[in-house]
Amino acid sequence: MLEVGPSRECSMNKINLEELTSDAGLLFEVDKEENTYPAEDNITEDAFDLVYSRLDTQIACLNFDQLMKTMQDISGSGGVYKEIKHPGYGPMITENSVVEVHYAGFFEYRDEPFDSSRLREETFKYRVGSGKAIPGWEIALLTMKKGEISWFLIQPEYGFQETGCPPRVPRNATALFEIEILSISDRVNVGDYFLMSEEERYAVTFESICQLVGTYKQEGYSFFKQNHFQKAVQKYNKCLNLLESAHLKSDQDEKRYKELMIAVQLNIALCCLKLCRFSRAVTFCRKVLQLDRCNTKAYFRLGQALHKLGDFSEALRNLTKAHKLLPKNEIILEEIQNIKSDREKFQLVESNMYQKMFSTLAKDQPIQYQKTKKTQPNEEEVSEEFCKSTKDYIRDFLEDKDQAECSMPAFNLTDAEMQFLLKTIDDKGLRILQTDSGECSSIKIVKPDQVAIKENQTLLS
C-alpha cells in the first residue's frame, strides 16, 4: 500500500517521495490497496459513528462558501479559516512542540472523510514547524490549545495546491479539517524518534533504539494475534526503519542489530504469507538468508511462498534445506509432501493450461487472447477475490525492485480467469518467458527492462 499525504510539495510535477513514505507521517494516508483501509482491518461501526458524533452539521450539505462566512481568517490572506467547536485550555502550541491529535478531513458535498485518524483508531503525532505538513496545518496548529476541537477550512494554495494528489485529492480542492488536540509536549523524547531531526537522532543510543524496536515489535505481535496483519506490517516496518538508522559502535551492537533484523524480517514474511503477498514474502525471506544462511524459518517460509507462487522446484529446494536443518520436524515434512502432491496435479493440467493460454500463439508473436463473443475478459466472469488477488500479485511484483521475474500463477484457472490474468499482465506492460519445454518447462512473468533471453528460453509475449 503506497502512502500518499499532503506534504508541502504535493503536486503533479514535484512529489517528495521521501516525505511520502516517511514514518514521521503526513496529514493523511492513502493505502496502496484499492480500498482506503485494509480489508482485514475493518472499520468498526463505533469508530465510524465517532467521527460523525463530533460534527453538528451534515457534512454532505455544507456549502464551504457559506461556512467561510461564519469562520475567522487566521492566515490574513483568506487561505485558512477557523471555527472553534470546543475551547481548549493552557498556553497555545508553539514551534517545535510535539502534538498528538485526532483529525478528520472532508471535501465539499462529500459526507465521508477522505482521511481520518479516528477511522484508523490511531492518534497522529506531529512536530509543529517540521514542514512535513501542508502549510494550512502549520498555521492552524499554532492557534490551538490542549483539549481544543476546531474546524479549519483550508484553500488549495495552503493545502494540496492546484494539482491536488489524484485520485484521492481532486484538483484545486478546498478541504475542511476537524482537529482535536489531545496532548502537547515541548520536548521530543526517544518515543518520538521519527519526529526528530537528524542531529537529534544521532544522539540516540543504540540501546534506546533497541528498546523502541522492542515496543513496536510487541505492538506488531499484538496486531498479528488479532489477525490485523497489515497493521502488524506497519509496526514491523517501523522497526526496520529504526534499525537501519542506528549507529553501531561495537561488535556487540552489530550482533544485536543482526538478531533484530532477522526476527523482524521473518515476522514481515509471515504477515505477507497471511496477506497472500507471496512475492513480498520471498523478498524478506531472502533478505534474512543474506544475514543467516542457516535460518530454518527463512527456508521454510520461502518454500511456502514459492509453493503458493507455483514455483514447485524452488519451493522443494528451500524446504529440503529446512528439512536438513531440522530433520525431525513434521510440519516441514508435511509441507514437502503437499508440494509434491500439487506438482503432480499441476503436471496433469499443465499441457491443457498452456493450450488455453497460447492456442493461437506462434513463436515470436505477441499473445493473442482467445476470441469469444466478448473482446476482453469480463471481470464479472471471475470472482472479486480473484480479481483483487491477481491485481495485488502483479502490483507487488512491479513494486519490488529486487525481483526481475515471478512465477505465472496459473494453476487450475478457468478460461475466464486465465484471460483476466493475461490481460492484467499485458496492461501492465509485462512479458511472459518460457524456460525449457515439456515436463521441465516453466513460465515466468518478467519485467520488460530486465528481459535477458537465454538459449533454453522463449519470449512468449
Side-chain angles (χ1 to χ4, degrees), residues 103-134:
Y103 71 92
F106 299 84
F107 294 127
E108 193 171 26
Y109 300 126
R110 299 188 185 182
D111 60 349
E112 293 187 6
F114 63 85
D115 187 39
S116 169
S117 62
R118 293 188 186 280
L119 290 185
R120 288 195 299 275
E121 298 182 323
E122 187 174 25
T123 59
F124 174 73
K125 273 192 171 185
Y126 182 69
R127 193 170 190 181
V128 182
S130 65
K132 299 289 186 178
I134 55 176

Side-chain angles (χ1 to χ4, degrees), residues 312-313 343-344 346-355 358 433-443 456-458 460:
F312 303 118
S313 297
R343 182 174 62 177
E344 290 176 4
F346 181 77
Q347 288 173 346
L348 290 174
V349 300
E350 187 178 32
S351 59
N352 181 50
M353 179 191 75
Y354 288 171
Q355 188 175 3
F358 309 116
L433 191 69
Q434 180 178 356
T435 301
D436 297 321
S437 60
E439 292 184 1
C440 299
S441 69
S442 67
I443 289 186
N456 63 335
Q457 294 179 326
T458 304
L460 300 177

